[in-house]
Amino acid sequence: MDRRSTCAQPDHCALPSAVLAAADAALAAATPQAPRHLASVLDEGETALVARLHLIRAARDTIDVQTYIWDHDDAGLLVLDELVQAAWRGVKVRILVDQLSAFGDLSLIDRLARVSPNLEVRLYNPTFDRAQISPLGWAAGIVCCFFRFNQRMHNKLLLVDDRVGITGGRNYQNRYFDWDPVLDFVDRDILIGGPAARSMADSFLLFWNHPRSVPLTHLRDVNRRLRTHPDAPGWPPPRYADPSRVAQARREATDAQWIQDHILADSLRVGTAEFFSDLPGKTETPHERAALAFTRRLMQLIAGARHEVVLQTPYLVMGDRATKIFAGLRRKQPPPQIVVSTNSLASTDGFAAYALTYKHRKRYIKELGFEIYELKPHARDPWLVYQRTRMGNGTPPSPEQAPTEPAVFAHSEQGGLLGSHGGRPVPLESGGLRFSLHAKSLVVDSSFAMIGSHNFDPRSDHYNTEAGVIVYDHRLAARLRGAILRDVRPENAWVVAPREPVPVLTDISQAIGDVSSSLPLFDFWPFRYATDFELKDGCAPMRPSNPAFYSCYRPVGDFPDVAMTPKAIYTRLITAFGLGVQGIL
């Protein structure tokens, strides 16, 4: 064990931080009757990464990290190195990662196991008590213990000194911080300081102490390596693919003015903010309401909508309960507007999950009243995609910004066995850097907002543990709503709408399509109820229900910009068998 110490000061040489000072001020002013919080939405990848580095360097006592994916690329190694440095200066560091996507390098795991007595790593739900699993072990895990193997920890959390934390959608991998040259995720976190951070600490402890969270030294392959290599391997400085980019992020993390301009300047002082998390071992106690705490709370919030629900999710695969809730909203008079920002087949990395979205388009649009906008893989407005909440005063977008008529909007990871975040997206007809939506956010009636890890799909409902923050503040809700609506503007998204009706032929096609889509084994009809549309030049954005819609929008096909390759054909096949695999997607 490396027992080096780089600091002898009582504060463990913590970096002075205006962020932690603001969190302390919120804690000092808060009472049970009148909570106070610091809240900052982290939309842009660089800001989200630098905020993490800054908080790690500002930690005085403890750092707790919980995540689903941790890669050993530049972003992953940079954060690990900062955590090691924090441990060497005396901060207690605890890292909890789901075993399915943890680190991926046994030599790296060996170094982490012995790098410092102040740093401890545990893996959640390891198959056969191993850090790494072979394809044969993967198959054996499914066969012998499917329900346990299928339950993953999808929570994301970084908590410093139990005072300020970050939660949301991002894992530790280049593509979550705009560092991947091929595909980058449009993602979102929230930094929250105040009483909600104490709830984060309680949640982390529940996971950390759960039997499914196993220390590295208790894992068979790690223990064997420790015994065969008794000398500690040390922690050499990581070798980065882009050292200059890493150096810049580190400089920004210690630059007080940069932190002020990019984090605190856009932060809000809000009142009630609640952190929710499902319990570990979710599938073991599905009958207990507390096990599904976060999922149940989300459903309750949606069910109470009066005017509008604005939802952003990478995978639009509604479970039974969510379908019933949205069907209930549809029966209200007048029904709330339901705006959904999600991935297209061209932008998603979870093409199998997308296939179920495609299969149930008619249900979502006609029966549930969804307005669905699918992200373009090469958004023509990428700066707005990543800077979409930097709107200054937090006011809702102007009518020309919104993808619909002003009056209508006046109220306002597929972590799984078949849907990995790290999957290969389908080939495209176009080239260049691709964007994929990974943010999971919700705004109801412009009164409160949720940012978290829940994908609004059956996996998040029933299998994966999820977490997030709900903020009851009109200003933050307006900013988040405006951010999502920017992502569905015509330059950034296609709109999914019913095909333009053709007398007689449309009725016949839909009748055959209804029979076909109800079949569990063979969904054969290729002419779907809805397809993707793009705004014509010279037209203003409008809702699909507008009588002028078809004169201003042109159809671009079911899978625009997708090269018809075996993966595209596979999507069609999944729609045929989708009813049988929905639960594990």
Side-chain angles (χ1 to χ4, degrees):
M1 181 68 70
D2 189 338
R3 298 187 179 275
R4 79 179 71 179
S5 175
T6 60
C7 178
Q9 298 179 18
D11 67 352
H12 298 126
C13 301
L15 176 76
S17 171
V19 176
L20 279 173
D24 286 340
L27 278 167
T31 66
Q33 296 75 29
R36 295 289 183 270
H37 290 88
L38 167 74
S40 182
V41 177
L42 306 176
D43 269 321
E44 196 266 335
E46 181 183 5
T47 303
L49 178 59
V50 173
R52 286 166 165 84
L53 303 182
H54 175 79
L55 290 180
I56 291 169
R57 293 191 171 195
R60 295 186 174 192
D61 300 305
T62 62
I63 303 171
D64 295 326
V65 186
Q66 186 177 7
T67 193
Y68 176 67
I69 295 174
W70 206 313
D71 209 344
H72 53 283
D73 55 11
D74 278 9
L77 288 176
L78 171 58
V79 176
L80 275 180
D81 188 57
E82 291 287 334
L83 292 170
V84 169
Q85 302 294 332
W88 281 342
R89 59 185 175 85
V91 178
K92 298 294 184 182
V93 178
R94 295 181 293 190
I95 301 173
L96 179 60
V97 187
D98 188 275
Q99 179 266 343
L100 201 62
S101 304
F103 305 119
D105 181 350
L106 198 58
S107 63
L108 174 62
I109 294 173
D110 179 16
R111 294 198 298 274
L112 288 173
R114 297 188 273 185
V115 71
S116 170
N118 292 326
L119 187 146
E120 184 178 357
V121 180
R122 296 184 181 182
L123 299 188
Y124 182 83
N125 201 14
T127 302
F128 305 130
D129 290 325
R130 297 176 62 88
Q132 293 189 316
I133 182 170
S134 66
L136 182 60
W138 180 292
I142 294 176
V143 171
C144 86
C145 0
F146 174 76
F147 286 104
R148 173 163 179 163
F149 185 74
N150 194 34
Q151 195 268 307
R152 311 314 312 178
M153 184 193 71
H154 199 237
N155 304 43
K156 285 91 174 177
L157 175 68
L158 184 145
L159 179 65
V160 168
D161 294 341
D162 293 351
R163 293 184 291 165
V164 59
I166 295 175
T167 190
R170 287 185 175 91
N171 294 288
Y172 292 96
Q173 191 179 57
N174 280 348
R175 59 178 55 178
Y176 294 93
F177 300 102
D178 309 345
W179 278 14
D180 192 289
V182 176
L183 183 147
D184 281 321
F185 283 123
V186 177
D187 214 332
R188 180 177 295 113
D189 298 312
I190 184 168
L191 182 152
I192 199 86
R198 302 286 170 78
S199 299
M200 292 178 171
D202 293 340
S203 172
F204 181 86
L205 279 179
L206 284 175
F207 278 88
W208 185 257
N209 294 321
H210 193 271
R212 289 194 179 182
S213 299
V214 182
L216 292 182
T217 53
H218 294 192
L219 298 170
R220 295 177 180 178
D221 48 351
V222 178
N223 190 271
R224 184 183 306 113
R225 185 180 179 94
L226 296 179
R227 286 186 284 108
T228 55
H229 299 81
D231 295 332
W235 185 262
R239 298 179 63 182
Y240 297 109
D242 191 338
S244 61
R245 180 174 60 187
V246 170
Q248 177 179 332
R250 282 182 157 151
R251 286 194 301 271
E252 291 167 349
T254 58
D255 185 336
Q257 189 61 51
W258 197 98
I259 298 300
Q260 174 64 39
D261 293 343
H262 292 82
I263 299 176
L264 287 175
D266 282 344
S267 67
L268 293 170
R269 274 60 176 175
V270 302
T272 302
E274 300 173 321
F275 176 80
F276 286 91
S277 173
D278 297 326
L279 291 183
K282 185 174 178 178
T283 53
E284 295 175 340
T285 55
H287 59 284
E288 295 183 11
R289 295 179 64 86
L292 305 163
F294 183 51
T295 300
R296 289 184 183 276
R297 185 61 178 143
L298 285 182
M299 297 305 170
Q300 291 170 357
L301 293 175
I302 294 172
R306 295 183 178 183
H307 308 296
E308 180 191 64
V309 176
V310 178
L311 171 65
Q312 190 161 51
T313 177
Y315 315 109
L316 183 59
V317 185
M318 291 289 156
D320 292 340
R321 184 177 182 189
T323 298
K324 290 178 182 178
I325 288 173
F326 280 109
L329 293 180
R330 183 69 165 165
R331 290 191 293 269
K332 290 185 177 182
Q333 293 301 324
Q337 305 297 331
I338 313 295
V339 178
V340 181
S341 167
T342 191
N343 274 310
S344 62
L345 180 60
S347 65
T348 189
D349 69 327
F351 61 91
Y354 177 85
L356 286 171
T357 303
Y358 176 74
K359 181 179 182 70
H360 296 302
R361 274 180 171 181
K362 183 174 182 179
R363 175 194 297 173
Y364 296 151
I365 294 173
K366 188 172 183 179
E367 299 177 19
L368 303 184
F370 288 4
E371 295 176 28
I372 302 174
Y373 298 87
E374 295 188 337
L375 187 74
K376 294 179 178 179
H378 310 299
R380 283 179 284 169
D381 195 6
W383 181 248
L384 287 181
V385 168
Y386 285 120
Q387 297 289 338
R388 52 200 184 282
T389 59
R390 301 197 180 282
M391 300 172 65
N393 57 8
T395 56
S398 62
E400 61 270 16
Q401 291 174 309
T404 132
E405 297 158 300
V408 176
F409 273 76
H411 303 296
S412 279
E413 274 195 78
Q414 182 66 331
L417 306 184
L418 297 181
S420 168
H421 291 307
R424 291 177 176 271
V426 296
L428 301 183
E429 294 176 351
S430 59
L433 175 64
R434 187 186 312 205
F435 298 113
S436 180
L437 179 65
H438 194 257
K440 309 97 166 38
S441 305
L442 173 73
V443 181
V444 176
D445 294 339
S446 285
S447 60
F448 58 86
M450 187 285 301
I451 297 172
S453 65
H454 195 289
N455 281 317
F456 300 93
D457 64 1
R459 282 208 59 82
S460 291
D461 288 348
H462 303 295
Y463 298 100
N464 292 346
T465 61
E466 307 290 357
V469 167
I470 301 169
V471 180
Y472 300 84
D473 184 90
H474 289 275
R475 298 166 300 164
L476 191 141
R479 289 188 183 185
L480 180 55
R481 178 181 176 273
I484 298 173
L485 295 188
R486 284 184 181 273
D487 289 345
V488 304
R489 289 173 60 170
E491 61 266 37
N492 294 326
W494 294 294
V495 56
V496 181
R499 298 177 187 273
E500 186 171 10
V502 178
V504 182
L505 290 179
T506 294
D507 292 338
I508 294 174
S509 176
Q510 289 187 16
I512 298 174
D514 289 344
V515 173
S516 177
S517 63
S518 67
L519 299 176
L521 296 179
F522 190 60
D523 187 356
F524 61 86
W525 194 243
F527 304 106
R528 315 303 295 191
Y529 168 78
T531 192
D532 289 69
F533 287 83
E534 189 165 65
L535 185 68
K536 296 179 181 178
D537 292 339
C539 283
M542 64 184 66
R543 302 169 56 84
S545 58
N546 191 306
F549 179 82
Y550 295 109
S551 63
C552 276
Y553 283 78
R554 62 182 182 88
V556 290
D558 291 5
F559 309 127
D561 203 11
V562 172
M564 291 306 292
T565 64
K567 269 197 174 177
I569 297 171
Y570 180 53
T571 298
R572 295 271 189 180
L573 293 176
I574 290 294
T575 64
F577 296 94
L579 292 178
V581 300
Q582 178 162 323
I584 64 172
L585 286 176

